[in-house]
Amino acid sequence: MSSLFKIIRQSISSHNRQLLRNMASGAENIKNGQSATIAVGQMRSTNDKVGNLSQVKELIEKAKSENAQMIFLPECCDFVGETRAQTIDLAERLDGKLVSEYKELAKCHQMWLSLGGIHELNDQGKIYNAHVLISEKGELASVYRKMHLFDATTKDIRLRESDTVSAGERLEKPVETAAGQVGLQICYDLRFAEPAILLRKLGAQLLTYPAAFTYATGKAHWEILLRARAIETQCFVVAAAQQGWHNQKRQSWGHSMIISPWGKVLADCGGEKDLDIVTANIDLSIVGSVRQSMPCFDHRRNDLYSLTAYNIRAREPDVDRAFADNIVDKRTIFYESEHCFAFTNLRCVVEGHVLVSTKRITPRLCGLDCAEMTDMFATVCMVQRLLEKIYQTTSATVTVQDGAQAGQTVPHVHFHVMPRRQGDFGHNDQIYVKLEDCTEIKPPRTLQERINEAQVYRTYFNES
């Protein structure tokens, strides 16, 4: 084992293991046939952080008095700055004082908190618009950083969020909470149907869109878009909103809402009250019933079109996977997508040589449908990028042996991804000879070696 690999292996942190536990917490609390009471809050944030925290506390207390197990708070629940400079100055990191106070509130009231948009200070001199989820135990369960930045000009508004905010780089998998599997989004994300569809495919039962929608755009589109996202995904949709004038320049629409998977508005805070909650019962059996009676996702034409998420965080695999007639131990799998899985290799041509295979057993590339093709290539590219980062290389050989005459020894579509170093072979194309000889000459690695390596890669996926 190389010294680099030993260093990498030591980087496996308790933080990542704790994050996985947090994401799974609450699973015993709600099943498909159970229900929970949730609250959605409405407020009017200003640049007074102490005053805004006081509003948050009041909303949480109201929610607790109505026996809510989870409360959803709007974007900018920490503050609304009046200038770019003030926004940067007021922002904190997620390990700062304000998030610590939110954690204590969650723990004290034994309630899940969806903090719809915290200004998270970053190292680029900007902020992330971060949707922070805190469990009823006061633990950080997930953080989603807003992907779509609101740079728009209409006759009523001109906003350039990108002047202050860095865009997030990934969707986050839905989190098991007191209200089921919750998919996190923020405000302007509402205008993009693709993330909603992907979150549903990843298991979401409830989507949440905390916002500070402008008055003009909210009046025109807010309810229409929220109901559309609920109908097309067959998920509950919860949208906490800012309401009223934050300062002389900025006014928000309000109308915090809870919407059923059928598209019915179950609760609405309206457009007048700037500090209020409404509650609703989230019965997950309704999700199952709607999806069974209208099985849209079963009717999607994966042979003709597809939608694939890129850069989703890795997780501990649930099951062993078939690889033709072989079984791949789940502990050697370091990444799974919807249709593919990546795993450490039994015999390596070069250090870091891994395999990416389809979950469905099919011998040839021509047997893949559109969804599998798209997902396979996206996964291969992501794995290649990961390996080059870990091994500090700038090149890779990515190859597929498609059929017996091409050297395929396992009749199941799979790609070899191999990071390359200067001079690793006397002649560059020798790698293909070595690849063909590998199964006969090279001794197999131990299962524990492959498990250790997979854990390293999984950790890097979660930290990148």
Side-chain angles (χ1 to χ4, degrees):
M1 185 182 295
S2 69
S3 58
L4 173 61
F5 187 79
K6 289 178 181 177
I7 293 170
I8 295 169
R9 182 179 174 187
Q10 291 169 358
S11 72
I12 300 172
S13 65
S14 60
H15 167 77
N16 291 295
R17 292 189 291 272
Q18 184 62 49
L19 178 61
L20 290 167
R21 286 194 293 270
N22 289 345
M23 291 177 70
S25 70
E28 69 281 3
N29 295 331
I30 185 163
K31 303 297 181 184
N32 276 337
Q34 294 182 326
S35 63
T37 299
I38 65 165
V40 62
Q42 186 159 289
M43 61 188 290
R44 181 177 63 85
S45 294
T46 67
N47 59 358
D48 178 4
K49 291 174 69 174
V50 174
N52 299 332
L53 182 60
S54 178
Q55 290 186 67
V56 167
K57 290 177 179 177
E58 185 173 340
L59 292 174
I60 291 173
E61 288 167 2
K62 283 186 177 182
K64 187 66 176 180
S65 70
E66 298 197 27
N67 299 314
Q69 293 148 274
M70 185 168 187
I71 183 169
F72 295 81
L73 296 167
E75 181 185 30
C76 304
C77 58
D78 54 349
F79 67 87
V80 172
E82 296 191 6
T83 64
R84 180 184 186 278
Q86 185 181 69
T87 297
I88 299 296
D89 185 56
L90 291 174
E92 299 180 22
R93 297 187 184 274
L94 296 187
D95 58 0
K97 178 182 176 183
L98 185 57
V99 172
S100 294
E101 293 196 58
Y102 290 138
K103 288 180 177 179
E104 191 58 34
L105 284 169
K107 185 177 179 180
C108 176
H109 292 280
Q110 295 185 310
M111 185 184 299
W112 280 80
L113 303 185
S114 163
L115 302 163
I118 302 294
H119 298 79
E120 178 194 1
L121 195 63
N122 63 32
D123 295 328
Q124 289 76 53
K126 291 186 174 183
I127 61 169
Y128 290 113
N129 192 339
H131 189 156
V132 176
L133 203 61
I134 299 175
S135 77
E136 84 284 6
K137 297 177 181 178
E139 298 171 343
L140 192 67
S142 187
V143 179
Y144 162 72
R145 295 174 176 91
K146 187 179 179 185
M147 297 187 301
H148 303 102
L149 302 186
F150 188 56
D151 290 356
T153 302
T154 71
K155 65 179 182 179
D156 301 297
I157 57 164
R158 182 187 181 279
L159 286 173
R160 285 193 58 82
E161 191 175 17
S162 63
D163 287 345
T164 308
V165 180
S166 301
E169 296 183 350
R170 59 160 60 95
L171 280 174
E172 296 294 334
K173 288 181 178 175
V175 182
E176 186 70 41
T177 73
Q181 293 276 356
V182 174
L184 307 179
Q185 293 280 271
I186 302 173
C187 199
Y188 188 48
D189 291 331
L190 175 61
R191 293 185 180 273
F192 301 87
E194 296 88 345
I197 297 294
L198 287 167
L199 286 167
R200 156 70 198 271
K201 289 171 72 176
L202 288 166
Q205 298 163 306
L206 183 153
L207 301 176
T208 179
Y209 294 93
F213 246 61
T214 68
Y215 187 90
T217 58
K219 183 178 181 180
H221 300 146
W222 175 245
E223 182 178 330
I224 296 169
L225 286 168
L226 289 170
R227 294 180 69 192
R229 296 295 85 85
I231 293 166
E232 71 197 1
T233 63
Q234 300 168 319
C235 290
F236 284 96
V237 167
V238 180
Q242 294 280 349
Q243 191 278 331
W245 286 97
H246 307 284
N247 51 54
Q248 292 182 343
K249 299 178 182 179
R250 186 169 174 181
Q251 182 186 16
S252 290
W253 170 243
H255 289 278
S256 296
M257 289 186 180
I258 303 172
I259 299 171
S260 80
W262 193 248
K264 179 182 178 182
V265 177
L266 301 177
D268 181 352
C269 277
E272 302 298 327
K273 296 181 180 179
D274 60 12
L275 190 64
D276 199 13
I277 65 160
V278 287
T279 63
N281 184 63
I282 300 299
D283 182 352
L284 294 185
S285 67
I286 294 173
V287 174
S289 176
V290 169
R291 293 177 183 181
Q292 185 174 19
S293 63
M294 188 81 69
C296 302
F297 276 67
D298 293 338
H299 299 156
R300 300 180 79 84
R301 290 295 302 273
N302 284 331
D303 56 330
L304 300 179
Y305 57 82
S306 66
L307 189 61
T308 296
Y310 187 74
N311 207 24
I312 296 290
R313 291 184 190 272
R315 60 174 174 78
E316 295 285 350
D318 297 326
V319 296
D320 298 339
R321 292 287 175 190
F323 186 45
D325 293 331
N326 308 300
I327 298 298
V328 176
D329 190 300
K330 64 184 180 181
R331 294 169 295 174
T332 69
I333 298 170
F334 60 89
Y335 185 79
E336 287 192 341
S337 60
E338 185 178 4
H339 299 289
C340 305
F341 65 102
F343 58 103
T344 52
N345 202 358
L346 188 63
R347 295 177 175 88
C348 297
V349 174
V350 294
E351 187 179 20
H353 177 183
V354 303
L355 303 180
V356 180
S357 176
T358 55
K359 290 180 178 176
R360 183 171 67 89
I361 299 174
T362 186
R364 299 287 310 281
L365 286 170
C366 60
L368 303 181
D369 65 25
C370 182
E372 288 169 327
M373 286 187 278
T374 305
D375 193 25
M376 170 65 88
F377 193 68
T379 302
V380 166
C381 290
M382 187 160 50
V383 168
Q384 177 187 345
R385 185 178 71 174
L386 171 82
L387 295 175
E388 290 189 2
K389 178 179 179 181
I390 291 175
Y391 292 106
Q392 300 181 351
T393 58
T394 58
S395 303
T397 294
V398 177
T399 186
V400 55
Q401 296 159 302
D402 194 32
Q405 283 69 49
Q408 185 186 45
T409 57
V410 179
H412 186 159
V413 171
H414 62 282
F415 279 71
H416 297 259
V417 185
M418 298 169 279
R420 298 296 302 276
R421 294 103 177 146
Q422 182 69 34
D424 51 9
F425 293 98
H427 185 277
N428 193 51
D429 284 350
Q430 274 187 302
I431 191 168
Y432 300 109
V433 177
K434 295 290 186 183
L435 187 61
E436 191 167 348
D437 292 344
C438 187
T439 55
E440 299 177 4
I441 298 173
K442 210 130 192 222
R445 297 194 299 161
T446 67
L447 176 61
Q448 194 59 52
E449 282 182 296
R450 289 179 283 133
I451 291 171
N452 291 345
E453 185 179 350
Q455 182 62 63
V456 169
Y457 297 157
R458 204 176 298 120
T459 298
Y460 263 80
F461 263 122
N462 289 333
E463 291 184 341
S464 62

